[in-house]
Amino acid sequence: MVYRLALFPLQSVVFPGEKLPLHIFEERYVQLIEDCESTGMHFGIPIYFNDHLEYGTEMKLTKVMKSYDSGAKDIICIGLRVFRVKKFDYKESGKLYAGGDVEFLKDRGESTRALKQQLLDLIYELYEHLEVPRPIIDIAGFTSFTLAHKIGLSLEQEYSLLKLTSEKARQEFLINHLLISIPIVQEMNRTKQVIELNGHFRNYDPLDFTEFRLRTKK
């Protein structure tokens, strides 16, 4: 089924369940937020990626934190559902902001306890190697989307994650990223230690040569 949404393109990924603070100052988006306030309508944030608009997240305005004399606003909104843009119009009829026809993705929420635990363990391991405090995670209720901004994904990786329609597939995606990233962080830490030791006296463990044999050519 196709739905109509006001659209607010951004060059960043917003995930379902994510709270997003925004400073709204452009006239067209001030108008959009005022319409959200007055009618309760939702809007969409499609990701502007590689000169395309294709996937995005439906957003709900939850609070206007501050309104300025200039008309600008500080707002909080929350991500709801992922959509694919079917048609984009630079301006909605009679409005300054864009709009479009979208189709919401059907999401499958299945996963396994073992997969969730592996993902959680790897995130803790990553933060341990980074020597930063562990992130605060709702152990019982976390999803791949709530963790996605916490593990250093690139914009392209976040965009790929957003398009996956299974929680199991998303968790496997994050696990694969961490299995690649953690050894890189470990190697960086080792390199840092080597650099810090350069020019300093170092203790070497004495080698036991009693079993030493000289390799000779035959």
Side-chain angles (χ1 to χ4, degrees):
M1 186 178 295
V2 175
Y3 296 84
R4 189 73 181 177
L5 278 181
L7 296 178
F8 183 170
L10 286 177
Q11 239 177 343
S12 60
V13 175
V14 184
F15 294 108
E18 179 181 354
K19 289 184 179 180
L20 180 69
L22 287 172
H23 177 68
I24 307 298
F25 59 92
E26 286 189 61
E27 185 180 4
R28 54 184 168 170
Y29 297 130
V30 170
Q31 184 186 67
L32 188 156
I33 297 305
E34 288 176 345
D35 285 353
C36 290
E37 286 183 275
S38 62
T39 69
M41 74 178 198
H42 297 171
F43 65 99
I45 295 183
I47 299 92
Y48 184 68
F49 183 71
N50 285 343
D51 299 324
H52 287 86
L53 290 173
E54 187 175 8
Y55 289 89
T57 302
E58 178 190 19
M59 306 298 296
K60 177 183 178 181
L61 175 68
T62 58
K63 191 171 185 179
V64 176
M65 303 297 294
K66 184 175 181 179
S67 295
Y68 298 85
D69 292 340
S70 63
K73 297 175 184 289
D74 292 335
I75 68 168
I76 302 292
C77 49
I78 188 168
L80 300 177
R81 296 178 289 177
V82 180
F83 61 78
R84 185 171 185 177
V85 179
K86 308 297 288 184
K87 179 185 178 185
F88 179 82
D89 294 309
Y90 185 71
K91 284 186 179 181
E92 279 282 71
S93 177
K95 300 295 182 180
L96 299 175
Y97 52 81
D101 294 337
V102 306
E103 186 176 60
F104 292 106
L105 304 189
K106 294 181 180 179
D107 194 80
R108 303 189 305 279
E110 83 280 358
S111 182
T112 66
R113 182 177 298 179
L115 204 61
K116 291 184 70 173
Q117 190 60 53
Q118 183 184 7
L119 176 57
L120 193 63
D121 290 344
L122 286 170
I123 290 175
Y124 288 156
E125 183 180 351
L126 174 67
Y127 275 65
E128 183 178 338
H129 290 305
L130 290 172
E131 299 179 352
V132 295
R134 286 183 175 187
I136 298 174
I137 297 174
D138 176 8
I139 305 299
F142 80 84
T143 68
S144 54
F145 284 144
T146 59
L147 300 175
H149 288 315
K150 301 180 186 294
I151 60 172
L153 295 177
S154 66
L155 175 61
E156 183 176 2
Q157 289 171 319
E158 289 184 347
Y159 189 53
S160 296
L161 182 72
L162 186 75
K163 295 188 289 183
L164 296 175
T165 57
S166 155
E167 178 62 11
K168 181 174 182 290
R170 290 191 293 267
Q171 289 181 6
E172 289 172 342
F173 181 94
L174 296 183
I175 286 169
N176 288 334
H177 168 74
L178 289 164
L179 289 173
I180 294 171
S181 298
I182 288 173
I184 293 173
V185 174
Q186 288 175 305
E187 183 60 24
M188 289 175 64
N189 287 341
R190 188 197 69 80
T191 302
K192 179 182 175 183
Q193 291 172 353
V194 171
I195 292 172
E196 289 173 346
L197 285 172
N198 187 38
H200 295 272
F201 292 103
R202 288 176 283 180
N203 291 324
Y204 288 92
D205 292 331
L207 299 176
D208 183 359
F209 290 101
T210 57
E211 300 297 324
F212 172 75
R213 294 291 184 272
L214 182 65
R215 178 176 294 174
T216 59
K217 293 182 179 180
K218 292 183 179 181

